[in-house]
Every structure is written in structure tokens, then in C-alpha cells.
Amino acid sequence: MMAYFPFFVDLNGKTGLIVGGGAVALRKARKLLPYGPRLTVVAPALRPEFQELEGVALLRRPFEQTDLKDCDFAVVATDDRALNRDAAELCKERRIPVNVADSREDSTFLFPALLRRGELSVGVSASGAAPAAAACVRDRFAQVLPENLEEILEFLEDIREPLRQAVPDSTVRQRLLASLAVDCMEVGRPLTDGEFRRKLADAERGEPL
């Protein structure tokens, strides 16, 4: 089987449907919500925890084809394999990306082992063949990240415009940004203003970064 390509998609404001009301469906909803989609969950019975999910529409009834209207993506996570397969086929007919829990064959996208730190999202996938191995890689990666990674990311974002003005050459600017990112990760914090200006001065003099 060919490996899956890791697209990163903007879900903010997108409309998502989750078919199923059990533990797996709840786990999928919790993974999706921090990325800003508008979720609807449909199932005859729903775990009580769904009530705690802010902004999620809950439909306590069986899935209907009309639930897919205006849907940007779907997650199917019931314990009825026939229903899962039928719902997936309806999605494919409508060109709606669909993830079917425990069935990569019926899915057109997979959930990765996910790690999020502020604006950084890391998704690790073994193309559905070994989720436990993907989770292990994710956990090892998490161990080496600085605790204040969010501050580092904010710093690197804030300096992009000053660097664009100070370093017109895009190739030099990209090398400098990469070097600044490495420096921040090594010291485990954003650079001070003095450290940043010294690095910028080195780049303007053409010194190795």
C-alpha cells in the first residue's frame, strides 16, 4: 500500500459531521475541536460527555443521507460496520473527505497521532498500518520539545516582518530564519533583543550563520 501524504488543512469554520456517539466518536471530536470546525454529531445514543463539548450540534437519531448536505468532511465511528461502509460510500459519491474508524480501506483520510503545542501541530502516521508505532514516535518527539515552545513560535512569527525589511535577499533571509529557529530550540527560549540583533548584524556582514 502506498504511504499517505500528510496534508495540513485549515478546518477553521469548516462544517464537519461525526456519525456515532460512542467513545471513539468522542475522541475524534475532541481532537478536531481545537482546530475550529463546526461539528455536528448524529447518533441514536450519545455519551454524556458530548454535552460538555462547546458549540457542537447534537442530533439524537439515526444517520440520514441529508446530514451530508453542505458537509466539508465526515468522520464515521459507529459499531455497525455496514452502516460505516454505507456512510463512507455516500461521502465518496459526494466527494466529501471521510474517515472511518478502524477501516483505512473505507477512509479517504486518516487521523494521525497528533501533537499540538500552540501553533505547532505534528501529525505522525504509519498509513493506518501501525497506529501504536505512530503514537510512540509522537511521544518521543514530544519529549525533546522545549516547555515554552509557544513563546518561541510567537517570537519567530514576530520577527518575520522586521527580517523582511532588514534582509531583502530571500535566500539569506530564509537561512537566517532557520538559524534563529535552531538557536531558540537549543537555548529553550526566545532570543533576547540583543541576541537577535547580533545575529542580524552577522547576516548583514555576510558572516556564516
Side-chain angles (χ1 to χ4, degrees):
M1 179 178 176
M2 187 75 68
Y4 281 59
F5 184 84
F7 279 109
F8 282 81
V9 181
D10 180 8
L11 292 182
N12 189 40
K14 298 295 189 297
T15 301
L17 177 71
I18 297 180
V19 182
V24 175
L26 179 64
R27 186 167 65 248
K28 303 276 190 178
R30 285 174 169 165
K31 284 187 176 183
L32 289 165
L33 280 174
Y35 294 88
R38 299 192 304 269
L39 293 182
T40 296
V41 180
V42 57
L46 299 168
R47 289 181 67 100
E49 294 92 331
F50 275 106
Q51 295 282 357
E52 303 169 5
L53 303 182
E54 186 175 350
V56 177
L58 304 178
L59 303 177
R60 289 181 176 81
R61 58 164 174 76
F63 165 73
E64 300 173 359
Q65 293 189 31
T66 54
D67 293 328
L68 294 173
K69 183 180 179 182
D70 301 323
C71 187
D72 293 310
F73 68 94
V75 175
V76 184
T78 80
D79 56 6
D80 185 333
R81 290 192 174 184
L83 171 59
N84 290 354
R85 190 175 303 110
D86 290 344
E89 287 303 315
L90 289 170
C91 289
K92 293 173 185 177
E93 290 172 6
R94 293 161 172 76
R95 298 178 181 246
I96 298 172
V98 60
N99 171 262
V100 181
D102 299 326
S103 178
R104 64 177 177 178
E105 293 80 9
D106 293 323
S107 301
T108 59
F109 75 92
L110 300 179
F111 273 69
L114 185 63
L115 170 65
R116 182 171 182 182
R117 294 286 189 275
E119 294 300 312
L120 177 72
S121 289
V122 177
V124 182
S125 172
S127 299
C136 180
V137 172
R138 174 205 58 199
D139 293 343
R140 291 192 178 187
F141 187 80
Q143 293 172 6
V144 304
L145 293 178
E147 291 185 5
N148 58 344
L149 180 62
E150 291 186 35
E151 296 178 19
I152 293 174
L153 295 176
E154 290 175 3
F155 165 76
L156 293 172
E157 182 178 11
D158 290 343
I159 64 173
R160 290 179 68 88
E161 185 56 35
L163 283 181
R164 189 174 290 110
Q165 297 178 14
V167 185
D169 189 309
S170 61
T171 301
V172 175
R173 187 168 64 247
Q174 290 304 314
R175 286 207 307 267
L176 178 56
L177 275 169
S179 180
L180 289 166
V182 170
D183 290 346
C184 288
M185 296 295 284
E186 286 181 347
V187 299
R189 57 168 173 78
L191 299 186
T192 65
D193 185 63
E195 289 170 335
F196 169 63
R197 294 190 179 281
R198 284 194 293 273
K199 193 84 174 183
L200 181 57
D202 289 344
E204 290 173 337
R205 289 194 297 268
E207 297 185 9
L209 300 175

